[in-house]
Amino acid sequence: MRDWQGMVLSLSVQDSSTGSGAPGETRKTLEIALGRQIRAIRRSHDLSVADLAAAAGISAGMLSKIENGQISPSLNTIAAIAASVNVPISTLFAAFEEKSDCSYVPAGKGVNIERRGTKAGHVYELLGHALGGDVVVEPYLITLREDASPFTGFQHAGVEFIYMLSGEVVYRHAEGRYRLKPGDALLFDSGALHGPEEFVQLPMTYLSIIVYPRQAP
């Protein structure tokens, strides 16, 4: 794990539409989402571009442009494609609708999960969830009470980000040990063993955000 103390991370933001280093949305968001969904459905049916184009009564060149988000197909064309793969038209727009996913959780209304056994006293409050997409994001507000027990055996897919809010802890990740105080942050590969190893000040709270790929159903 790198120690970023004393270093400054400078992000060059090219557009005011984004406050991070992430690329901004392209202008043809709907066309691109529609094209990707059509391509995914076509492949799931083991059809070539030529096969689907013939079934929908359009040229292979047009279908290729649709899949690449280069043109806006007419409603009749979309309906023909949907009928060719036997899915509702709404299915073709599913990928675009997922981009509008939003989860609002009022203060104190998250889903509470209290750990028991070797992880007694660890209280998790799930602050939101994503309904779709290729990536799962799980934001938790974690409280370690006075009766909490240290546990360094957490291990799961993805990456995890921790931001300390109150209290103080020595947090272990693999062979590293990090003393975290309010305002400190830790970002790590959560495939390695990790967890709070030594409590310095209880109770404590910290924000934990876990990100991992969504498995195909």
Side-chain angles (χ1 to χ4, degrees):
M1 189 70 182
R2 297 180 181 177
D3 183 359
W4 294 99
Q5 186 174 1
M7 298 182 66
V8 177
L9 179 62
S10 176
L11 294 177
S12 175
V13 181
Q14 301 298 325
D15 192 326
S16 60
S17 64
T18 175
S20 76
E25 285 285 2
T26 56
R27 294 181 180 177
K28 294 186 177 181
T29 303
L30 176 58
E31 288 87 345
I32 291 174
L34 176 64
R36 289 175 177 172
Q37 184 75 346
I38 291 174
R39 181 187 293 115
I41 293 175
R42 172 177 63 77
R43 289 176 175 174
S44 71
H45 284 70
D46 198 24
L47 296 173
S48 67
V49 171
D51 291 335
L52 180 55
I58 60 177
S59 69
M62 175 179 284
L63 179 58
S64 179
K65 289 182 179 179
I66 292 173
E67 289 191 355
N68 290 313
Q70 296 175 345
I71 60 174
S72 298
S74 67
L75 183 58
N76 287 339
T77 298
I78 295 173
I81 293 173
S84 299
V85 289
N86 195 30
V87 300
I89 291 180
S90 59
T91 301
L92 301 185
F93 292 97
F96 178 75
E97 292 171 355
E98 286 173 358
K99 286 185 174 292
S100 302
D101 184 18
C102 179
S103 175
Y104 168 67
V105 178
K109 298 298 183 181
V111 178
N112 283 305
I113 305 168
E114 183 173 348
R115 302 285 186 175
R116 302 190 183 280
T118 57
K119 299 178 283 295
H122 296 230
V123 181
Y124 286 55
E125 183 182 356
L126 182 62
L127 300 180
H129 67 284
L131 301 178
D134 298 328
V135 176
V136 178
V137 180
E138 295 180 354
Y140 292 97
L141 177 63
I142 300 178
T143 301
L144 300 185
R145 303 185 314 216
E146 295 286 356
D147 61 337
S149 302
F151 186 80
T152 58
F154 291 111
Q155 188 176 30
H156 49 84
V159 296
E160 184 169 352
F161 173 78
I162 287 177
Y163 182 80
M164 288 295 295
L165 299 173
S166 66
E168 192 171 340
V169 65
V170 175
Y171 200 92
R172 175 173 286 277
H173 174 258
E175 300 304 317
R177 299 173 77 248
Y178 305 88
R179 186 158 180 159
L180 303 179
K181 302 180 295 297
D184 290 344
L186 193 64
L187 176 66
F188 54 86
D189 176 1
S190 48
L193 291 172
H194 59 277
E197 182 176 70
E198 178 185 340
F199 299 145
V200 181
Q201 182 182 345
L202 287 173
M204 74 179 66
T205 58
Y206 58 90
L207 179 66
S208 170
I209 302 176
I210 302 171
V211 182
Y212 57 93
R214 187 185 301 277
Q215 294 185 348

